Amino acid sequence: MLECFYPKEYLDSTYLIDFEKKYEQGYRGIIFDIDNTLVPHGLPADERAIALFLRLKKIGYQVTMLSNNKEPRVKMFCDVVNAPYIYRAGKPNPENYKKAMRNMGTNEKNTLFVGDQIFTDVWGANKAGIYSILVKPIHPKEEIQIVIKRYFEKIVLIAYQRYMRKKQTNV
């Protein structure tokens, strides 16, 4: 019942993803959420984010930022990391995930999505058929509507963790 919200992977941080290994596995594009996925909510790109995007480009990835935020906030981040973006993306609607893939020249099979929210980021990526990676939020300070969603996300995460334990014991 809740499987549509389950990520393919759940990690502590974007910065712990083995992007080199994912590239070896055939992934060529990455769609990222920004706030609380790459930097704390509302902040510009920091040294860690800048280094990550230089690394991704060196590996050979195409990247696109996909944010429900307004253009000034998204542009502020993307100008620093030199990445294309789609703002007011309407996540979880899969249309802009698909647009991002078209823009990168990738498809559902060779694109990753990385985000920190289940009901927008992961659900939308799953609906678009993209490999979804959920990361823990970088910082606890968030807008009130996100704080409310986090309560419901906890319920989904408990079910997800049970599902994964069961899946691992059946292997």
Side-chain angles (χ1 to χ4, degrees):
M1 180 176 149
L2 297 175
E3 288 85 1
C4 65
F5 300 115
Y6 294 172
K8 299 294 186 247
E9 292 183 52
Y10 179 40
L11 303 169
D12 287 338
S13 170
T14 299
Y15 299 97
L16 297 177
I17 299 170
D18 188 343
F19 289 108
E20 288 80 4
K21 182 177 180 182
K22 296 290 186 201
Y23 194 86
E24 288 172 14
Q25 293 170 340
Y27 292 99
R28 296 298 182 262
I30 308 170
I31 303 171
F32 285 98
D33 175 54
I34 299 171
D35 288 321
N36 257 344
T37 298
L38 295 163
V39 292
H41 187 81
L43 292 184
D46 57 18
E47 293 302 318
R48 187 166 68 160
I50 294 166
L52 174 64
F53 281 87
L54 289 172
R55 180 175 138 219
L56 294 174
K57 288 173 186 173
K58 186 176 180 182
I59 294 168
Y61 281 108
Q62 297 295 314
V63 298
T64 298
M65 303 301 120
L66 190 65
S67 176
N68 284 347
N69 221 317
K70 296 175 184 169
E71 187 173 23
R73 189 284 171 268
V74 178
K75 185 176 182 344
M76 171 181 64
F77 181 91
C78 293
D79 282 352
V80 175
V81 298
N82 192 28
Y85 60 88
I86 299 171
Y87 65 97
R88 288 191 178 166
K91 296 181 288 184
N93 183 326
E95 290 311 308
N96 279 319
Y97 293 79
K98 293 174 183 178
K99 179 180 179 184
M101 287 186 285
R102 283 191 305 273
N103 292 348
M104 293 188 297
T106 63
N107 60 49
E108 296 86 356
K109 301 290 184 217
N110 65 4
T111 303
L112 301 168
F113 180 85
V114 182
D116 70 300
Q117 292 187 57
I118 290 174
F119 299 121
T120 52
D121 298 331
V122 171
W123 190 25
N126 290 348
K127 290 196 303 185
I130 302 169
Y131 189 95
S132 57
I133 301 173
L134 177 67
V135 295
K136 291 180 181 174
I138 290 175
H139 195 275
K141 182 180 179 254
E142 298 181 296
E143 296 174 340
I144 187 64
Q145 71 270 18
I146 297 171
V147 172
I148 293 166
K149 283 193 277 185
R150 294 284 186 208
Y151 173 79
F152 295 104
E153 283 186 353
K154 287 178 185 175
I155 296 166
V156 174
L157 283 172
I158 290 167
Y160 168 74
Q161 289 164 337
R162 285 184 188 144
Y163 169 82
M164 292 305 290
R165 279 194 299 274
K166 185 177 179 181
K167 188 176 173 182
Q168 289 170 347
T169 58
N170 290 335
V171 172

